[in-house]
Amino acid sequence: MVSKMENQNPRELEAGTYLEKHRVLDLLDNMTSMLIFGRPDDPKTFLIQQLEKLKIAKQSGMYYPCLFDDSNLTSIFGMLDPTKRGFITREQFVEALSTLGVKNFDEYPPGSEVNKITLDTFLRESKQGLTKSSSTFKQ
């Protein structure tokens, strides 16, 4: 069986490596998602503002542009905990972060050993993961 990489010419491989190294596709995915979610009247100005926010975030190490804020994440937690027990299972936690697009996160956060992940843990872990995903540059 011939791998996909063996079928690519050197220019395609070089382009793919470049895009991956600089997380260009991640950036474009994030920007497109924010654009579709926000539907601004002036999309070009909006995209410029998001890139400026990303630049400031890179310099300061905080406040990365992201689709989800605390209220969104709290709502997600609430949907996973409809009986208001105050916790979700580890399986729900992993599925939620994966659905949010978080790729690298601690799959065993505090509380997972007893299958009870609290809202505070969910917020902390999801914001940390979303920050990494939204940064689109090496940290």
Side-chain angles (χ1 to χ4, degrees):
M1 178 178 207
V2 178
S3 76
K4 184 179 177 183
M5 292 183 103
E6 290 175 8
N7 289 333
Q8 290 183 326
N9 70 45
R11 290 287 293 159
E12 287 175 327
L13 285 171
E14 183 182 322
T17 301
Y18 176 84
L19 293 173
E20 188 174 315
K21 176 182 177 185
H22 295 285
R23 297 188 65 193
V24 173
L25 296 179
D26 290 337
L27 172 64
L28 294 175
D29 282 346
N30 287 344
M31 298 296 279
T32 302
S33 295
M34 286 189 277
L35 191 62
I36 298 300
F37 183 77
R39 298 184 188 263
D41 291 334
D42 185 353
K44 291 175 187 167
T45 299
F46 175 82
L47 291 171
I48 290 167
Q49 290 169 343
Q50 295 307 308
L51 287 170
E52 288 171 349
K53 287 179 184 179
L54 189 59
K55 180 181 176 184
I56 291 167
K58 182 178 181 180
Q59 293 168 344
S60 68
M62 9 182 354
Y63 307 117
Y64 297 93
C66 183
L67 280 177
F68 303 99
D69 61 16
D70 280 8
S71 67
N72 301 129
L73 297 172
T74 300
S75 293
I76 291 168
F77 186 89
M79 287 187 279
L80 296 171
D81 180 24
T83 58
K84 307 216 182 300
R85 298 175 300 169
F87 60 87
I88 59 173
T89 66
R90 181 192 161 279
E91 183 179 341
Q92 289 174 306
F93 169 79
V94 170
E95 184 64 29
L97 266 66
S98 296
T99 301
L100 289 171
V102 177
K103 295 176 184 157
N104 299 315
F105 59 92
D106 181 2
E107 292 191 25
Y108 296 92
S112 62
E113 67 280 355
V114 290
N115 219 20
K116 294 181 178 182
I117 297 170
T118 65
L119 174 60
D120 288 340
T121 299
F122 178 77
L123 288 174
R124 182 181 62 251
E125 296 293 326
S126 57
K127 285 194 286 190
Q128 190 175 61
L130 287 165
T131 294
K132 288 177 187 174
S133 295
S134 298
S135 67
T136 62
F137 52 80
K138 291 183 181 177
Q139 294 180 312

